[in-house]
Amino acid sequence: DEVDARRIAYIAQCFSALGFPIAEARARAFILYAYEVAESLLTTQGTAAQKKERSALLQRLVTTRLA
């Protein structure tokens, strides 16, 4: 879908601006976007605390530089 592609491209630009190589920025953008879509569809999965934990983990995963 074109809207999804534009959203992912925007997020990739943000990761690129943070200094991630473009291929990695695109992959991180896809992971972040897929997480957001999944969370919006699976609203009844987990408690508020579990959702907060998932969000915190995702934040660490997409912002931590790979070795």
Side-chain angles (χ1 to χ4, degrees), residues 9-52:
Y10 173 76
I11 298 167
Q13 288 176 350
C14 293
F15 280 119
S16 181
L18 291 171
F20 290 101
I22 191 63
E24 190 174 322
R26 287 182 183 133
R28 288 171 186 268
F30 181 84
I31 291 167
L32 176 57
Y33 189 72
Y35 165 80
E36 291 296 336
V37 170
E39 283 291 333
S40 73
L41 295 173
L42 303 171
T43 58
T44 61
Q45 296 299 309
T47 65
Q50 289 170 327
K51 291 177 183 183
K52 188 174 179 179

